[in-house]
Amino acid sequence: MVAPARTSVTEDTIERIKAMIARGEFAPGERLPTERELVVRLGVSRSSLREAIRALTLVGVLEARQGDGTYVTSLAPHLLLDAVATLVELSPDATALELLAVRRVLEAAAAAQAASRITAVELAELARCLEVMRHDPHTGDGDLDEAIAADLRFHEIMVRASGNAVLAAFCTALGSRTLRARVKRGRLERGVFGQSLHEHEAIYEALHDRDPSRAAAVAASHIASVEAFVRHAPVPVD
């Protein structure tokens, strides 16, 4: 019989605090009891409690306010998925294609939902991103950093328009890894901005026409083109 894995006191404390939050004992935005009270309540040392609080702060569950104690954060999806973004950023190059494959599925779903929900204001924001992207850095007509920023902004607006905060947060987290791929793509391939622009315009038109199926297809196709670049990139994506 295999003995169960042992957990440290700090790990156990982390799990107990998370369980109390999940049960509603500490609501989003609520201040935790004092360190002294928590030590007694949990039956742990101050050092173990502090390590647990530090760990939960790093992943966006708790927030330490100087001179005012420790609070539960809003627990908004983008806060809790910051850890996913970090994982994405630190993943080895071998996993880049797998991450893109996941993003392709999620972003296609987000585009389909956005096609039914997107507002006139959001469409106007997308149009402004396209206007920036029409200035090709390779011809001296535009700035590379501005073009990349507009690309990122376009995707953020689109996934936000899906109306699903968790889906949007996942898409944004997964997009951070491929930022580097897009930067290298812009520097290594002349004419790539023209292709990228056409792909973004196709997404915009599908959203404008409120066509979920087409929006999903063109969004997936766009991410697939990034996958193709990463697969054949002459240098590592770092």
Side-chain angles (χ1 to χ4, degrees), residues 132-199:
V132 174
M133 295 170 67
R134 289 190 179 99
H135 299 286
D136 191 338
H138 289 307
T139 66
D141 184 42
D143 179 81
L144 177 64
D145 291 336
E146 290 181 2
I148 294 296
D151 184 332
L152 287 172
R153 178 66 177 154
F154 184 98
H155 287 274
E156 289 172 359
I157 294 166
M158 183 192 73
V159 299
R160 183 188 69 203
S162 71
N164 185 320
V166 175
L167 178 58
F170 265 117
C171 289
T172 299
L174 290 170
S176 61
R177 170 68 176 180
T178 57
L179 169 60
R180 296 167 187 164
R182 285 195 292 271
V183 171
K184 286 191 181 292
R185 194 179 188 196
R187 291 173 175 165
L188 293 172
E189 294 188 31
R190 294 186 65 83
V192 73
F193 277 95
Q195 175 188 339
S196 180
L197 173 62
H198 291 317
E199 292 168 357

Side-chain angles (χ1 to χ4, degrees), residues 36-162:
R36 179 179 297 179
E37 291 174 303
L38 282 174
V39 163
V40 173
R41 183 168 179 176
L42 297 173
V44 297
S45 67
R46 287 179 181 271
S47 61
S48 293
L49 177 63
R50 287 171 181 171
E51 288 178 13
I53 288 176
R54 187 178 301 114
L56 290 171
T57 299
L58 288 173
V59 296
V61 175
L62 298 178
E63 175 188 5
R65 300 180 186 176
Q66 189 66 34
D68 193 30
T70 302
Y71 288 75
V72 180
T73 68
S74 65
L75 302 180
H78 73 275
L79 289 176
L80 300 183
L81 287 172
D82 277 349
V84 174
T86 301
L87 169 65
V88 170
E89 288 292 334
L90 298 179
S91 293
D93 295 335
T95 64
L97 287 171
E98 294 178 348
L99 292 166
L100 280 166
V102 173
R103 183 180 168 216
R104 172 161 41 89
V105 173
L106 294 181
E107 197 145 328
Q113 293 184 30
S116 301
R117 304 172 61 97
I118 197 163
T119 67
V121 171
E122 288 166 331
L123 283 170
E125 291 177 340
L126 292 179
R128 284 193 288 273
C129 291
L130 290 176
E131 188 58 35
V132 174
M133 295 170 67
R134 289 190 179 99
H135 299 286
D136 191 338
H138 289 307
T139 66
D141 184 42
D143 179 81
L144 177 64
D145 291 336
E146 290 181 2
I148 294 296
D151 184 332
L152 287 172
R153 178 66 177 154
F154 184 98
H155 287 274
E156 289 172 359
I157 294 166
M158 183 192 73
V159 299
R160 183 188 69 203
S162 71

